[in-house]
Amino acid sequence: MEKKLFVISVDSLFFDDVQWLTDCPNLYGIYQRGSVVQKMMSTYPAMTYVAHSTMMTGCHEEMHGIYHNEKAEVVEHPAWHWYRKELNSDTVFDAAKKGGYTISVINWPVTGADPSIDYLIPEIWSDEPEGDSRPRFLTVCSQGMDKLYDKYRHMLRWKYQPELDDFGVACLKDIIREYEPDIIMLHLSYLDHARHSYGGFAPEAKEALMECDRKIGELMDILQAKGLLEQYNICVMGDHGHLPVRQVFNPNILLAEQGFITLDSKGQVVDYKCYIHSAGLSAHVMLKNPKDHIIKKQVETLLKSWVEKKEYGCEQIFDKTQMEKLHLKGPFDYVIEGRAGTSFGNKCRGPVFCPTDNSDYKLSVSAHGHLPEKGPQPIFFGAGPDIRENIVVERGRLIDEAPTYASILGVEMPWAQGRAMKEILKQDYNNEEE
Ligand SMILES: [Zn+2]
């Protein structure tokens, strides 16, 4: 029998939010009806694009290759990982497509131009707040979605929230009405946005969660009106935690002072021996020539001295070998993990330490990108015909989500490093060999 699946990623939803969920009737209904995995292990860095790549591939970043929202580029605002082709492993969409399912994916990161998705509105925006995102959108959406873009583009305001969620949900409503896809995967970011701007547990964050719940309710109403709602397995999850930030440390300014970065008169990088790319609460240290052992030794000494000066807010340094143990692999040589209260900036000029700044998700009053075991943990819950009732599991892992969907759908993901969470499923639908 053909299965139905509706996956809703509520960006930065935690187990700690269960109390708030009691004021979110749609989400709380799912939470109460089905199975809950209270604390899901996120990725390192605990960051949206890394986590969502893991959530759709069933793999760690060493396999799927997405190590940050942004590419490791030596500029203050690098390009983002928009495209499916940037993933080094296959996804649950590939597996489901092979299984004959129709799929709609809305605002899900790193899905741009994914040929396995029938009705695709990927998460994407123009480089500049005032820029037109239509030309870029047309290169990444699936065929026919340009009509929806034009119908609802008036709702969009760059990457701002709740407008991006409003736009995605408006498109999804039309897609469900017209095409009734078997699999729906939706990413809502308003909660994360509110936590960044106002603090992890600010009243504005609760209000944002309630707004996400209203949207989910409207989508469920459409499925209900079509008589389809009962057939869907609905899974809801967060992707990463959040921690409060008190100061922003700009290590590139120290690197520039010591001659590791060369700036022009406008403060732009013209050359570098070592450059540090912020991942929010951690940072990626890039050596231009990692084979230059003299520079490497100097950088190592410098990084260690930052850890020793507690006020710098650097907790520990990971080298390539230690990164491997954390399943992290990327075009950088070291990772700095911040201490509580410090996030990292990319600035190469100005004061080394700055107050928080809501201009960017990495510098805001609450941020992430930290070791995933720290702070609030993402939650996972689901209900539906193939999900057991009243099951509570304490711990799970993001890498197990896609294999769980594959198991529900009866399709195979042999490349996945994770395993289906069988304890929450009524039956294991994988054809296991005797
Ligand atoms: Zn975030």
Side-chain angles (χ1 to χ4, degrees), residues 152-169:
Y152 295 115
R153 67 184 298 180
H154 64 277
M155 303 174 91
L156 273 175
R157 207 167 50 96
W158 198 40
K159 61 174 173 179
Y160 296 128
Q161 289 292 356
E163 289 87 341
L164 191 64
D165 284 359
D166 293 343
F167 165 79
V169 169

Side-chain angles (χ1 to χ4, degrees), residues 221-284:
D221 286 346
I222 296 172
L223 291 172
Q224 179 77 289
K226 283 178 162 281
L228 293 172
L229 185 62
E230 305 304 310
Q231 296 174 35
Y232 276 85
N233 293 286
I234 306 182
C235 296
V236 179
M237 74 290 308
D239 58 340
H240 56 69
H242 253 265
L243 289 167
V245 180
R246 290 187 301 274
Q247 69 168 6
V248 177
F249 172 43
N250 288 295
N252 287 325
I253 294 170
L254 296 178
L255 290 176
E257 279 171 12
Q258 302 205 22
F260 292 99
I261 296 175
T262 313
L263 303 173
D264 65 13
S265 59
K266 288 179 186 146
Q268 301 294 316
V269 178
V270 287
D271 198 10
Y272 73 101
K273 296 186 182 90
C274 175
Y275 178 88
I276 297 180
H277 180 207
S278 166
L281 302 183
S282 65
H284 298 159

Side-chain angles (χ1 to χ4, degrees), residues 117-324:
I117 301 169
D118 304 278
Y119 313 106
L120 170 63
I121 307 273
E123 182 167 287
I124 207 155
W125 47 76
S126 61
D127 292 331
E128 299 297 327
E130 304 306 323
D132 182 4
S133 52
R134 191 173 193 276
R136 181 174 277 163
F137 182 84
L138 293 184
T139 66
V140 296
C141 68
S142 57
Q143 235 187 356
M145 294 297 108
D146 50 328
K147 279 187 296 221
L148 288 180
Y149 182 85
D150 289 334
K151 186 172 172 189
Y152 295 115
R153 67 184 298 180
H154 64 277
M155 303 174 91
L156 273 175
R157 207 167 50 96
W158 198 40
K159 61 174 173 179
Y160 296 128
Q161 289 292 356
E163 289 87 341
L164 191 64
D165 284 359
D166 293 343
F167 165 79
V169 169
C171 294
L172 180 55
K173 285 177 181 173
D174 279 17
I175 290 168
I176 295 175
R177 283 192 193 103
E178 195 170 342
Y179 305 108
E180 300 180 5
D182 303 315
I183 300 168
I184 304 165
M185 288 183 60
L186 169 67
H187 171 227
L188 296 172
S189 307
Y190 188 29
L191 173 63
D192 180 59
H193 177 90
R195 292 200 203 274
H196 278 290
S197 304
Y198 301 101
F201 295 100
E204 290 86 349
K206 183 183 176 185
E207 184 47 51
L209 179 58
M210 290 165 70
E211 173 55 30
C212 292
D213 185 68
R214 279 189 284 277
K215 288 188 166 79
I216 292 163
E218 289 166 15
L219 293 164
M220 287 167 72
D221 286 346
I222 296 172
L223 291 172
Q224 179 77 289
K226 283 178 162 281
L228 293 172
L229 185 62
E230 305 304 310
Q231 296 174 35
Y232 276 85
N233 293 286
I234 306 182
C235 296
V236 179
M237 74 290 308
D239 58 340
H240 56 69
H242 253 265
L243 289 167
V245 180
R246 290 187 301 274
Q247 69 168 6
V248 177
F249 172 43
N250 288 295
N252 287 325
I253 294 170
L254 296 178
L255 290 176
E257 279 171 12
Q258 302 205 22
F260 292 99
I261 296 175
T262 313
L263 303 173
D264 65 13
S265 59
K266 288 179 186 146
Q268 301 294 316
V269 178
V270 287
D271 198 10
Y272 73 101
K273 296 186 182 90
C274 175
Y275 178 88
I276 297 180
H277 180 207
S278 166
L281 302 183
S282 65
H284 298 159
V285 181
M286 299 149 66
L287 294 172
K288 189 172 180 185
N289 179 10
K291 289 193 180 120
D292 186 332
H293 292 289
I294 296 170
I295 297 291
K296 199 170 175 185
K297 202 79 222 149
Q298 288 171 352
V299 167
E300 266 179 28
T301 306
L302 190 61
L303 295 176
K304 277 181 194 153
S305 77
W306 294 349
V307 173
E308 279 157 21
K309 290 179 191 135
K310 286 215 162 53
E311 65 276 18
Y312 279 33
C314 301
E315 186 183 86
Q316 50 185 325
I317 309 294
F318 301 118
D319 62 15
K320 285 262 188 198
T321 315
Q322 290 158 316
M323 279 158 56
E324 237 172 74

